[in-house]
Amino acid sequence: ILGVRDIHADHAASHIGKAQGIVTCLRATLYHCTRQKVFLPMDICMLHGVSQEDFIRGKQEKNVRDVIYDIASQAHIHLEHVR
């Protein structure tokens, strides 16, 4: 955007963008669930035995929290790459 031509800056910006996208998705989860939609990765949900219906019903059991934790951890990994 600012005319910066540096592969390292591009790489860092890519990871920051991915982290921000993941966090935005997590923050919007409650909003989307109230509208009967779930935009979380189903492979991670299935790994913890959580269905879309669990999110829509607002369950707060450990396995649901584990899904959120795993997804948030992915954002954290992207931030660590930037550092």
Side-chain angles (χ1 to χ4, degrees):
I1 293 175
L2 300 173
V4 175
R5 304 229 185 272
D6 180 8
I7 189 132
H8 299 296
D10 290 345
H11 188 72
S14 173
H15 282 292
I16 289 171
K18 291 172 187 172
Q20 183 178 11
I22 293 168
V23 170
T24 299
C25 181
L26 287 175
R27 290 182 65 208
T29 297
L30 181 59
Y31 170 82
H32 290 298
C33 287
T34 61
R35 283 148 183 81
Q36 310 294 307
K37 298 187 185 302
V38 178
F39 296 108
L40 299 175
M42 291 315 303
D43 57 335
I44 296 175
C45 292
M46 290 185 336
L47 180 69
H48 292 284
V50 176
S51 69
Q52 288 183 344
E53 197 65 32
D54 292 332
F55 282 99
I56 292 170
R57 290 185 180 161
K59 291 188 177 181
Q60 296 183 10
E61 297 166 356
K62 183 182 182 318
N63 58 344
V64 173
R65 293 191 312 270
D66 288 343
V67 169
I68 299 299
Y69 180 84
D70 282 358
I71 296 170
S73 294
Q74 291 300 313
H76 182 74
I77 289 169
H78 285 292
L79 289 179
E80 286 299 316
H81 283 299
V82 173
R83 290 185 185 124

